[in-house]
Amino acid sequence: MKIILVNGSPHEKGCTYTALSEVAQTLNKQDIKVEFFQLGSKPLSGCLGCGTCQETGKCFMKDLVNEFMEKAEEADGFVFGSPVHFASAAGNLTSFMDRVFFANMGSGILEYKPSAAVVSCRRGGATATFDRLNKYFTISNMPVVSSQYWNLVHGNTPEEVRKDLEGMQTMRTLGNNMAWLLKSIKAGKALGIQYPEKETRIFTNFIR
Ligand SMILES: Cc1cc2nc3c(=O)[nH]c(=O)nc-3n(C[C@H](O)[C@H](O)[C@H](O)COP(=O)(O)O)c2cc1C
């Protein structure tokens, strides 16, 4: 089983990475493979709403989004990490996730795969960012993995994040909870438990 950890920070080895690494190490101890997916520091376009992905399951722009979608097909779950930027998620990450999750509405490859958000901030805006990220999962039929506290760490440097002992413990608990859920889903599949039946989707725009 494999989890992809998306680092939505431009800092490859910064605070968000430090939090994600704690989750990753815990998953490794539970025999779950991990792969980091770095968004890096290059600009990333937001969604243009052209609808191509609804037909093809892929974005017409050839960049990190399609790269991720290919990897996501093989993965069993995801952790999306973001630094807090002005009390919300980093712009590059929301551009990325808007496109990934809109494409998923066409392809459904993320559905029923457990997911979690992880947030790093210096001081404020962490829970607003956490809410923002969880909204992607909860509109996509994805089980959300929780921890003993909201999945946050505090710090302006990796060293400061490592000193946030409660935050780091929250990350380890998240890793263990993710591993438990993945193993439970695997056991359920082996027993023949099927994915839920879906109704034909009703899509209204508040027009009667
Ligand atoms: C543009 C920008 C905006 C920020 N806004 C906030 C904020 O609203 N609240 C906060 O606590 N920290 C804020 N920070 C600090 C970062 O969230 C914090 O240092 C974070 O841990 C950095 O994670 P990283 O090293 O993974 O990028 C901001 C940083 C930047 C660059």
Side-chain angles (χ1 to χ4, degrees):
M1 286 182 286
K2 190 167 95 177
I3 292 289
I4 300 181
L5 301 118
V6 177
N7 181 10
S9 167
H11 305 123
E12 210 169 300
K13 296 279 164 75
C15 302
T16 309
Y17 175 82
T18 306
L20 289 172
S21 296
E22 197 72 1
V23 182
Q25 278 170 30
T26 311
L27 287 165
N28 275 157
K29 282 185 194 153
Q30 295 273 358
D31 296 325
I32 309 244
K33 293 192 187 90
V34 298
E35 180 176 345
F36 277 88
F37 191 91
Q38 301 277 0
L39 291 200
S41 50
K42 291 198 184 123
L44 198 65
S45 172
C47 181
L48 303 187
C50 69
T52 303
C53 64
Q54 303 306 295
E55 311 293 324
T56 65
K58 293 215 159 132
C59 185
F60 81 94
M61 290 179 250
K62 292 179 178 42
D63 63 7
L64 286 180
V65 170
N66 287 341
E67 236 176 80
F68 174 80
M69 291 309 260
E70 270 170 38
K71 288 176 186 286
E73 217 160 340
E74 307 301 318
D76 300 287
F78 310 94
V79 183
F80 292 86
S82 183
V84 173
H85 284 178
F86 293 97
S88 191
N92 250 10
L93 181 65
T94 56
S95 290
F96 175 80
M97 289 179 82
D98 284 357
R99 288 168 56 208
V100 163
F101 282 82
F102 200 42
N104 179 60
M105 286 182 173
S107 68
I109 63 170
L110 305 181
E111 287 192 333
Y112 307 114
K113 296 186 178 183
S115 219
V118 159
V119 173
S120 172
C121 80
R122 185 187 69 80
R123 192 162 178 84
T127 59
T129 304
F130 187 61
D131 291 345
R132 171 84 170 87
L133 295 179
N134 279 317
K135 290 206 168 83
Y136 289 99
F137 317 139
T138 48
I139 198 173
S140 308
N141 291 310
M142 297 168 83
V144 178
V145 186
S146 63
S147 184
Q148 67 198 48
Y149 193 85
W150 301 305
N151 309 331
L152 333 167
V153 295
H154 284 87
N156 223 14
T157 62
E159 293 69 37
E160 283 178 6
V161 169
R162 279 190 279 271
K163 284 186 197 159
D164 176 6
L165 297 185
E166 184 174 351
M168 294 304 264
Q169 185 176 65
T170 303
M171 296 302 125
R172 291 192 295 278
T173 303
L174 174 63
N176 280 324
N177 291 353
M178 173 70 91
W180 169 77
L181 188 56
L182 288 178
K183 289 173 189 176
S184 302
I185 290 171
K186 191 178 175 190
K189 277 184 189 162
L191 287 172
I193 294 178
Q194 308 287 318
Y195 289 118
E197 247 179 61
K198 273 194 192 162
E199 291 185 16
T200 307
R201 187 160 181 158
I202 298 170
F203 204 71
T204 61
N205 304 320
F206 291 109
I207 297 166
R208 289 171 204 203

